[in-house]
Amino acid sequence: MADTKIGAYICKGCGIGERLDTAQLAMIAQKEGKAQVVREHEFLCNASGVELIRNDIANEGVNHVVIAACSRRAKAETFNFENVAISRTNLREGVIWITPADEDKKELVQEMAADYVRMGCAESLKMQIPRTNPNVGHNKRILVVGGGISGMTAAIEASKTGYDVLLVEKTGSLGGWAAKLHKRVPNREPYADPMDTGIAGLIKEIESDQHIKVHLSSTITKTSGSPGQFSVDISTESGGTATENVGGIIMASGFTPYDMNKLPHLGAGKSKDVVDQLGLEALAKAANGGPIKRPSDGKEVKSVVFIQCAGQRSDKEGELPYCSGHCCNTSIKQAMYFKDQNPSVDTVVMYTDLRTPGNGEDFYRSAQKKGVIFTKGVASEVVPGAELQVKFQDKILNEDAIAKADLVVLATGQVANSGVDIEQVPQDEPGKWASNQQSVLNMSYRQGKDLPLLKHGFNDSHFICFPYETRRTGIYTAGPVRRPMDMVQAIEDATGAALKAIQAVENAGLGRAAHPRSGDLSFPEFRREGCTQCKRCTVECPFGAIDEDEQRYPVFNESRCRRCGTCMGACPVRVISFENYSVDSVGYQLKAVDIPDQFSEKPRILVLACENDAYPALDMAAMNHIQYSAFTRVIPVRCLGSVNTIWVTDALNSGYDGVVLMGCQKGENYQCHFVKGSELAHMRMSKIDDTLKQLSLEVERVKTYEVAITDIQRAPALINEMAETIQKIGLSPLKF
């Protein structure tokens, strides 16, 4: 490995040169930061500034670059130099934009900037130039599991971009539930009438596409490997097993309709004339544009009542607590089946909340014009008979009422085909979730054969930032297996998942990480001789990227790794690291800060801020010129889960007066980009009180917070709150 040669580059632009003594910062970089090449420049991000750095890399042998300018979140592409280790020091958002320009504060602001330069050089000194992941897979074929509207769309979209696709469908035909529909909700202007599903055209397109290979009546019996090098065993229609190699996987296994027979109070199972929405689709297809007939006697339906939210949006045991999204528009469409054939059919849609997203509002108005009646009510009972009686509470008149109908349609919900059944066992063990669904992917991961789920049985994904991501790198979900949705949303979802799978296989072929650190060339390594085989890294990795060998030492699967560093934070003996992010690279930063003695009355507050939410929040606070204490030194971390408790201990022993940790929201509605990182960090920090007591320090000196990216007011306030706390309890007695 080449000797480390640090080049420190200090920008004067954006007001930095007006507020700071950059010559002094340059001297600090040279003398204290051990930078062999030090330059100042009026605007580092302009062409001449970038060329200055490139020349030093090419001609001066600089291989570690320290950029003292704006936030690492700004000008990322501009300062992206290949084959060098890059450290960013934030003088703009982190210093001059969050401090007052008062003359009496100038010394504090200069001290702040000087510390950040020291920190940047210290980090660079402990960084290595990232190498390419050695465990590279180059397979770029996309596996799509599920041949419904989501799966077919994903396959077609991937094929259009030139990628080969393997499509596996467990039934004997493509189309899924969408193929069973008489018509679909319109997806184009004027949004007035039901339209053809278009499924036949999609099937024909797939059958004629040379890039798409289809396995019907087939299931996945084993999935192993990682992005770019997955291996799947397929149980085929012939009864044999085919082994296929693919680069990325899209799970589009769809949904199963909620079992309406669990709603006997609404007539399900008691009368043939009570059907669910898919049951009505079958009646409409059988009618083929003619009058829809009653299942019980074959007579033409003259009156129909649609009961919305049947068995869903409910807190009753065994029913679905969520909204399935499509049901209101579907009932509007189905009501039009009757009105378009015979305007005299008495058609009532009974709802509590009518939800028609997007252009569904136009569709709803069209139904009103056709004579469909919408009434706000809650059905309590459907009494079977020659004429069905729907007992309900009229929410407008606030009284009990009865509606009579030839046919009742229950708008039941979607249950994800995720491999784990969320239906409750009502007889002997109420409240226990059964596991009688067939596994979809049968993964050979130590964490289990199915994808991790959210609480309602939908596949886990970061619903805000990375909606198709799962906790298994290179495997994406699309359609109703991810969340309840209609056909329009399923098509959009499938397109997005296809693009993500393509991105994954391309990154894998280059040895780079997937989201959220897309393009990161670093990967985890560990020092075997120091490992105690405690298994904390393998257990805490949110992505199943670490296994164990026969001697119980960790085995890292670099292609599965998301580079969050949770394993690094978990390791009690600190033997896990990345080339450009390690216990030392952060530890040396916090130790590089000049800690004033106890008589100076200048406290130091260390902030370890998640680079995904908390750090951007502080940046945006700076853009709004929201000030926080100049005694603060902020170190961005990949994830709060990567924070090793030694950093907190070292900071306190070094004389820091307070430590603030800022991570993402945890729990059921988590916003952590690495799923479990923030939660794990909170668990670790909950035990830090013992360390503080051993050091004879107040527990108030260390605080851990959940911070959203939108907390641009709150994040600085939390820092100022710590500064006020230190003012009350006094400086640390551990100062030298």
Side-chain angles (χ1 to χ4, degrees), residues 72 462 516-517 520 540-543 562-570 578 581-582 586 607-616 635-645 647 661-666 670-682 684-685 704-705:
R72 62 173 59 192
H462 193 290
R517 294 190 59 83
D520 191 345
E540 292 191 13
C541 175
F543 307 110
R562 302 279 180 89
R563 280 65 164 179
C564 61
T566 297
C567 54
M568 190 175 83
F578 297 76
Y581 185 63
S582 65
V586 174
V607 176
L608 298 171
C610 165
E611 69 178 10
N612 297 302
D613 274 17
Y615 197 69
I635 298 178
V637 295
R638 291 187 177 182
C639 174
L640 210 62
S642 70
V643 172
N644 197 293
T645 53
W647 293 340
L661 291 87
M662 295 183 176
C664 303
Q665 182 175 319
K666 57 184 176 63
Y670 72 87
Q671 293 182 22
C672 176
H673 286 49
F674 299 106
V675 186
K676 291 288 184 182
S678 184
E679 180 179 320
L680 291 168
H682 277 76
R684 295 174 199 151
M685 290 305 120
T704 306
Y705 297 105

Coordinates of all heavy atoms in Angstrom, one line a residue, residues 72 462 516-517 520 540-543 562-570 578 581-582 586 607-616 635-645 647 661-666 670-682 684-685 704-705:
R72 N -20.5 17.8 3.4 CA -20.3 16.7 2.5 C -21.5 16.4 1.7 O -21.4 15.6 0.7 CB -19.9 15.5 3.4 CG -21.0 15.0 4.4 CD -20.7 13.7 5.1 NE -19.5 13.9 5.8 CZ -18.8 12.8 6.3 NH1 -19.3 11.6 6.2 NH2 -17.7 13.0 7.0
H462 N -38.4 0.5 3.5 CA -38.4 1.8 4.0 C -39.4 2.6 3.2 O -39.2 3.0 2.1 CB -37.0 2.4 3.8 CG -36.8 3.7 4.6 ND1 -37.4 4.9 4.3 CD2 -36.1 4.0 5.7 CE1 -37.1 5.8 5.1 NE2 -36.3 5.3 6.0
P516 N -28.7 2.5 0.9 CA -28.7 3.9 0.7 C -27.3 4.5 0.4 O -27.2 5.6 0.1 CB -29.3 4.5 2.0 CG -28.9 3.5 3.0 CD -28.9 2.2 2.4
R517 N -26.3 3.6 0.6 CA -24.9 4.1 0.2 C -24.5 3.6 -1.1 O -23.4 3.0 -1.3 CB -23.9 3.6 1.3 CG -24.2 4.2 2.7 CD -23.0 3.9 3.6 NE -21.8 4.5 3.1 CZ -21.3 5.7 3.3 NH1 -22.1 6.6 3.9 NH2 -20.2 6.1 2.8
D520 N -20.8 3.0 -2.9 CA -19.7 2.9 -1.9 C -18.9 1.7 -2.2 O -19.4 0.5 -2.3 CB -20.3 2.8 -0.5 CG -19.3 2.9 0.6 OD1 -18.1 2.8 0.3 OD2 -19.7 3.1 1.8
E540 N -26.9 -8.9 15.0 CA -27.4 -7.5 14.9 C -27.5 -7.0 13.4 O -28.1 -6.0 13.2 CB -26.6 -6.6 15.8 CG -26.8 -6.8 17.2 CD -26.3 -5.8 18.1 OE1 -25.9 -4.7 17.6 OE2 -26.2 -6.0 19.4
C541 N -26.8 -7.6 12.5 CA -26.8 -7.2 11.1 C -28.2 -7.2 10.6 O -28.9 -8.3 10.6 CB -25.9 -8.0 10.2 SG -26.0 -7.6 8.5
P542 N -28.8 -6.1 10.2 CA -30.2 -6.0 9.8 C -30.4 -6.7 8.4 O -31.5 -7.0 8.0 CB -30.5 -4.5 9.7 CG -29.4 -3.8 10.3 CD -28.2 -4.7 10.2
F543 N -29.3 -7.0 7.7 CA -29.5 -7.4 6.3 C -29.0 -8.8 6.0 O -28.9 -9.2 4.8 CB -28.7 -6.4 5.4 CG -29.2 -5.0 5.6 CD1 -28.3 -4.1 6.2 CD2 -30.4 -4.6 5.3 CE1 -28.7 -2.8 6.5 CE2 -30.8 -3.3 5.6 CZ -30.0 -2.4 6.2
R562 N -24.9 -3.5 3.3 CA -25.3 -2.2 2.9 C -24.3 -1.1 3.4 O -24.6 0.1 3.3 CB -26.7 -1.9 3.5 CG -27.8 -2.9 3.1 CD -28.3 -2.6 1.7 NE -29.4 -3.5 1.3 CZ -30.7 -3.4 1.6 NH1 -31.1 -2.3 2.3 NH2 -31.5 -4.3 1.3
R563 N -23.3 -1.5 4.1 CA -22.2 -0.5 4.6 C -22.7 0.4 5.7 O -22.3 1.5 5.8 CB -21.6 0.3 3.4 CG -20.6 -0.4 2.6 CD -21.1 -1.6 1.8 NE -20.2 -1.9 0.7 CZ -20.4 -3.0 -0.1 NH1 -21.5 -3.7 0.0 NH2 -19.5 -3.2 -1.0
C564 N -23.7 -0.1 6.5 CA -24.2 0.8 7.6 C -23.2 0.9 8.7 O -23.2 1.8 9.5 CB -25.5 0.3 8.0 SG -25.5 -1.4 8.7
G565 N -22.4 -0.2 9.0 CA -21.5 -0.2 10.1 C -22.1 -0.7 11.4 O -21.5 -0.6 12.5
T566 N -23.4 -1.2 11.3 CA -24.0 -1.7 12.6 C -23.1 -2.8 13.2 O -23.0 -2.8 14.5 CB -25.4 -2.3 12.3 OG1 -26.2 -1.2 11.7 CG2 -26.0 -2.9 13.5
C567 N -22.5 -3.6 12.4 CA -21.6 -4.6 13.0 C -20.4 -4.0 13.7 O -20.0 -4.5 14.8 CB -21.1 -5.5 11.9 SG -20.3 -4.7 10.5
M568 N -19.9 -2.9 13.2 CA -18.8 -2.2 13.8 C -19.2 -1.6 15.2 O -18.5 -1.7 16.2 CB -18.4 -1.1 12.9 CG -17.1 -0.4 13.3 SD -16.6 0.8 12.0 CE -17.5 2.2 12.5
G569 N -20.4 -1.1 15.2 CA -20.9 -0.6 16.5 C -21.2 -1.7 17.5 O -21.1 -1.4 18.7
A570 N -21.6 -2.8 17.0 CA -21.9 -4.0 17.9 C -20.7 -4.6 18.5 O -20.8 -5.2 19.6 CB -22.7 -5.0 17.1
F578 N -14.2 -0.6 8.2 CA -14.3 -0.4 6.8 C -13.0 0.4 6.4 O -12.5 1.1 7.3 CB -15.5 0.4 6.4 CG -16.8 -0.3 6.7 CD1 -17.3 -0.4 8.0 CD2 -17.5 -0.9 5.6 CE1 -18.5 -1.1 8.2 CE2 -18.7 -1.6 5.9 CZ -19.2 -1.6 7.2
Y581 N -14.0 4.0 7.0 CA -14.9 4.3 8.2 C -14.6 3.2 9.2 O -14.9 2.1 9.0 CB -16.4 4.2 7.7 CG -17.4 4.6 8.8 CD1 -17.4 5.9 9.3 CD2 -18.3 3.7 9.3 CE1 -18.3 6.3 10.3 CE2 -19.2 4.1 10.2 CZ -19.2 5.3 10.8 OH -20.1 5.7 11.7
S582 N -14.1 3.7 10.3 CA -13.7 2.7 11.3 C -13.8 3.3 12.7 O -14.0 4.5 12.9 CB -12.2 2.3 11.1 OG -11.3 3.4 11.2
V586 N -13.2 7.7 13.4 CA -14.1 8.5 14.2 C -13.4 8.9 15.5 O -13.4 10.0 16.0 CB -15.4 7.9 14.4 CG1 -16.3 8.8 15.4 CG2 -16.2 7.7 13.1
V607 N -21.4 15.9 19.0 CA -22.6 15.4 18.4 C -22.3 14.4 17.4 O -21.6 14.6 16.4 CB -23.4 16.6 17.8 CG1 -24.6 16.1 17.1 CG2 -23.8 17.6 18.8
L608 N -22.8 13.2 17.6 CA -22.7 12.1 16.6 C -24.0 12.0 15.9 O -25.0 11.6 16.5 CB -22.4 10.8 17.3 CG -21.0 10.7 18.1 CD1 -20.9 9.5 18.9 CD2 -19.9 10.9 17.1
A609 N -24.0 12.5 14.7 CA -25.3 12.7 13.9 C -25.4 11.7 12.7 O -24.5 11.7 11.9 CB -25.4 14.1 13.4
C610 N -26.5 11.0 12.6 CA -26.8 10.2 11.5 C -26.7 11.0 10.2 O -27.3 12.0 10.1 CB -28.1 9.5 11.7 SG -28.8 8.7 10.2
E611 N -26.0 10.5 9.2 CA -25.8 11.2 8.0 C -27.0 11.2 7.1 O -27.1 12.0 6.1 CB -24.6 10.6 7.2 CG -24.9 9.2 6.6 CD -23.7 8.7 5.8 OE1 -22.6 9.3 5.8 OE2 -23.9 7.7 5.1
N612 N -28.0 10.4 7.4 CA -29.2 10.3 6.6 C -30.4 11.3 7.0 O -31.1 11.7 6.2 CB -29.7 8.9 6.6 CG -28.8 7.9 6.0 OD1 -28.3 8.1 4.9 ND2 -28.3 6.9 6.8
D613 N -30.5 11.5 8.3 CA -31.6 12.4 8.8 C -31.1 13.6 9.6 O -31.3 14.7 9.3 CB -32.6 11.6 9.6 CG -33.6 10.9 8.7 OD1 -33.4 10.8 7.5 OD2 -34.7 10.5 9.2
A614 N -30.4 13.2 10.7 CA -30.0 14.3 11.6 C -29.0 15.3 11.0 O -29.1 16.5 11.2 CB -29.3 13.6 12.9
Y615 N -28.0 14.8 10.3 CA -27.0 15.7 9.7 C -27.6 16.6 8.6 O -27.4 17.8 8.6 CB -25.8 14.8 9.1 CG -24.6 15.7 8.9 CD1 -23.8 16.2 9.9 CD2 -24.1 15.9 7.6 CE1 -22.7 17.0 9.7 CE2 -23.0 16.7 7.3 CZ -22.3 17.2 8.4 OH -21.2 17.9 8.1
P616 N -28.4 16.0 7.8 CA -29.1 16.9 6.8 C -30.0 17.9 7.5 O -30.2 19.1 7.1 CB -30.0 15.9 6.0 CG -29.3 14.6 6.1 CD -28.7 14.6 7.4
I635 N -19.8 15.2 14.3 CA -19.2 14.1 13.5 C -20.4 13.4 12.9 O -21.2 12.7 13.6 CB -18.3 13.2 14.3 CG1 -17.2 14.0 14.9 CG2 -17.8 12.1 13.4 CD1 -16.3 13.1 15.8
P636 N -20.5 13.4 11.5 CA -21.6 12.5 10.9 C -21.2 11.1 10.9 O -20.0 10.7 10.7 CB -21.6 13.1 9.5 CG -20.3 13.7 9.2 CD -19.8 14.2 10.6
V637 N -22.1 10.2 11.2 CA -21.9 8.8 11.2 C -22.8 8.1 10.2 O -23.9 8.6 9.9 CB -22.1 8.2 12.6 CG1 -21.1 8.7 13.6 CG2 -23.5 8.4 13.1
R638 N -22.4 7.0 9.7 CA -23.2 6.3 8.6 C -24.6 6.0 9.1 O -25.6 6.0 8.4 CB -22.5 5.1 8.1 CG -21.2 5.4 7.4 CD -20.7 4.1 6.8 NE -19.5 4.4 6.0 CZ -18.8 3.5 5.3 NH1 -19.2 2.2 5.3 NH2 -17.8 3.8 4.6
C639 N -24.7 5.5 10.3 CA -25.9 5.2 11.0 C -25.6 5.2 12.5 O -24.5 4.9 12.9 CB -26.4 3.8 10.5 SG -27.8 3.1 11.4
L640 N -26.6 5.6 13.3 CA -26.4 5.6 14.7 C -26.1 4.1 15.2 O -25.4 4.0 16.2 CB -27.6 6.1 15.4 CG -27.3 6.8 16.8 CD1 -26.5 8.0 16.5 CD2 -28.6 7.2 17.5
G641 N -26.5 3.1 14.4 CA -26.2 1.8 14.8 C -24.7 1.5 14.7 O -24.2 0.5 15.3
S642 N -23.9 2.3 14.0 CA -22.5 2.1 13.8 C -21.7 2.7 15.0 O -20.5 2.5 15.1 CB -22.0 2.7 12.5 OG -22.0 4.1 12.6
V643 N -22.4 3.4 15.9 CA -21.7 4.1 17.0 C -21.3 3.1 18.0 O -22.1 2.4 18.6 CB -22.6 5.1 17.6 CG1 -22.0 5.7 18.9 CG2 -22.9 6.3 16.7
N644 N -20.0 3.0 18.2 CA -19.4 2.1 19.2 C -19.3 2.9 20.5 O -18.9 4.0 20.5 CB -18.0 1.6 18.8 CG -17.6 0.4 19.6 OD1 -17.4 0.5 20.8 ND2 -17.5 -0.7 18.9
T645 N -19.7 2.2 21.6 CA -19.7 3.0 22.9 C -18.4 3.5 23.3 O -18.3 4.4 24.1 CB -20.3 2.0 24.0 OG1 -19.5 0.8 24.0 CG2 -21.8 1.7 23.8
W647 N -16.5 5.3 21.6 CA -16.5 6.7 21.2 C -17.0 7.6 22.3 O -16.4 8.7 22.6 CB -17.3 7.0 19.9 CG -16.7 6.3 18.7 CD1 -15.4 5.8 18.6 CD2 -17.4 6.0 17.5 NE1 -15.3 5.2 17.3 CE2 -16.5 5.3 16.6 CE3 -18.7 6.2 17.0 CZ2 -16.8 4.9 15.4 CZ3 -19.0 5.8 15.8 CH2 -18.1 5.1 14.9
L661 N -26.3 12.1 20.8 CA -26.4 11.2 19.7 C -27.7 11.5 19.0 O -28.8 11.5 19.7 CB -26.3 9.8 20.2 CG -24.9 9.3 20.7 CD1 -24.8 9.6 22.1 CD2 -24.8 7.8 20.4
M662 N -27.7 11.6 17.7 CA -28.9 11.9 16.9 C -29.1 10.8 15.9 O -28.3 10.7 14.9 CB -28.9 13.3 16.3 CG -28.9 14.4 17.3 SD -28.9 16.0 16.4 CE -29.0 17.1 17.8
G663 N -30.1 10.0 16.0 CA -30.4 9.0 15.0 C -31.8 9.1 14.5 O -32.6 10.1 14.8
C664 N -32.2 8.2 13.7 CA -33.6 8.3 13.0 C -34.6 7.7 13.9 O -34.4 7.1 15.0 CB -33.5 7.5 11.7 SG -32.3 8.0 10.5
Q665 N -35.9 7.9 13.5 CA -37.0 7.4 14.3 C -36.9 5.8 14.2 O -36.7 5.2 13.2 CB -38.3 7.8 13.6 CG -39.6 7.4 14.4 CD -40.8 8.0 13.9 OE1 -40.9 9.1 13.5 NE2 -41.9 7.2 13.8
K666 N -37.2 5.2 15.4 CA -37.2 3.8 15.5 C -38.6 3.2 15.7 O -39.5 4.0 15.8 CB -36.2 3.3 16.6 CG -36.5 3.9 17.9 CD -35.5 3.5 19.0 CE -35.8 4.2 20.3 NZ -37.0 3.8 20.9
Y670 N -40.5 3.1 11.7 CA -39.1 3.5 11.7 C -38.8 4.3 10.4 O -39.4 4.1 9.4 CB -38.2 2.3 11.8 CG -38.2 1.4 10.6 CD1 -37.3 1.7 9.5 CD2 -39.0 0.3 10.4 CE1 -37.2 0.9 8.4 CE2 -39.0 -0.5 9.3 CZ -38.1 -0.2 8.3 OH -38.0 -0.9 7.2
Q671 N -37.9 5.2 10.6 CA -37.4 5.9 9.4 C -35.9 5.7 9.3 O -35.2 6.4 8.5 CB -37.7 7.4 9.5 CG -39.2 7.7 9.5 CD -39.5 9.2 9.5 OE1 -38.7 10.0 9.2 NE2 -40.7 9.5 9.9
C672 N -35.3 4.8 10.0 CA -33.9 4.5 9.9 C -33.6 3.8 8.6 O -34.2 2.8 8.2 CB -33.5 3.5 11.0 SG -31.8 3.0 11.0
H673 N -32.7 4.4 7.8 CA -32.4 3.9 6.5 C -31.8 2.5 6.6 O -31.8 1.8 5.6 CB -31.4 4.8 5.8 CG -31.9 6.1 5.3 ND1 -32.7 6.9 6.1 CD2 -31.9 6.7 4.1 CE1 -33.1 8.0 5.4 NE2 -32.6 7.9 4.2
F674 N -31.3 2.1 7.7 CA -30.7 0.8 7.9 C -31.6 0.0 8.9 O -31.1 -0.9 9.5 CB -29.3 0.9 8.4 CG -28.4 1.6 7.4 CD1 -27.9 2.9 7.6 CD2 -28.0 0.9 6.2 CE1 -27.1 3.5 6.7 CE2 -27.2 1.6 5.3 CZ -26.7 2.9 5.5
V675 N -32.8 0.3 8.9 CA -33.9 -0.5 9.6 C -33.8 -0.5 11.1 O -34.6 0.0 11.8 CB -34.0 -1.9 9.0 CG1 -35.2 -2.6 9.6 CG2 -34.1 -1.9 7.5
K676 N -32.7 -1.2 11.6 CA -32.6 -1.4 13.0 C -31.5 -0.6 13.7 O -31.3 -0.7 14.9 CB -32.3 -2.9 13.3 CG -33.5 -3.8 13.0 CD -34.6 -3.7 14.0 CE -35.7 -4.7 13.7 NZ -36.8 -4.5 14.7
G677 N -30.7 0.2 12.9 CA -29.6 0.9 13.5 C -29.9 1.8 14.6 O -29.3 1.7 15.7
S678 N -30.9 2.6 14.5 CA -31.2 3.6 15.5 C -31.7 2.9 16.8 O -31.4 3.2 17.9 CB -32.3 4.6 15.0 OG -32.6 5.5 16.0
E679 N -32.5 1.8 16.6 CA -33.1 1.1 17.7 C -31.9 0.4 18.5 O -31.9 0.4 19.7 CB -34.0 0.0 17.2 CG -34.7 -0.9 18.2 CD -35.6 -1.9 17.6 OE1 -36.4 -1.5 16.7 OE2 -35.6 -3.0 18.0
L680 N -31.0 -0.2 17.8 CA -29.9 -0.9 18.4 C -29.0 0.2 19.2 O -28.5 -0.1 20.3 CB -29.0 -1.6 17.4 CG -29.7 -2.8 16.8 CD1 -28.9 -3.3 15.5 CD2 -29.8 -4.0 17.8
A681 N -28.8 1.3 18.6 CA -28.0 2.4 19.3 C -28.7 2.8 20.6 O -28.0 3.0 21.6 CB -27.8 3.6 18.3
H682 N -30.0 3.0 20.5 CA -30.7 3.4 21.7 C -30.6 2.3 22.8 O -30.4 2.6 24.0 CB -32.2 3.6 21.4 CG -32.5 5.0 20.9 ND1 -32.2 5.3 19.6 CD2 -33.0 6.1 21.5 CE1 -32.6 6.6 19.4 NE2 -33.1 7.1 20.5
R684 N -28.0 0.3 23.2 CA -26.6 0.3 23.7 C -26.5 1.5 24.6 O -25.9 1.4 25.7 CB -25.6 0.4 22.6 CG -25.6 -0.8 21.7 CD -24.7 -0.5 20.5 NE -24.9 -1.4 19.4 CZ -24.7 -1.2 18.1 NH1 -24.3 0.0 17.8 NH2 -25.0 -2.1 17.2
M685 N -27.0 2.7 24.2 CA -26.8 3.9 25.0 C -27.7 3.9 26.3 O -27.4 4.6 27.2 CB -27.2 5.1 24.2 CG -26.3 5.4 23.0 SD -24.5 5.6 23.6 CE -23.8 4.3 22.7
T704 N -29.5 10.7 23.9 CA -29.8 10.0 22.6 C -31.1 10.4 22.2 O -32.1 10.3 22.9 CB -29.6 8.5 22.7 OG1 -28.4 8.2 23.3 CG2 -29.8 7.9 21.4
Y705 N -31.2 10.9 20.9 CA -32.5 11.4 20.4 C -32.9 10.8 19.1 O -32.0 10.4 18.3 CB -32.5 12.9 20.2 CG -32.3 13.7 21.5 CD1 -31.0 14.3 21.8 CD2 -33.3 13.9 22.4 CE1 -30.8 15.0 22.9 CE2 -33.1 14.7 23.6 CZ -31.9 15.2 23.8 OH -31.7 15.9 25.0

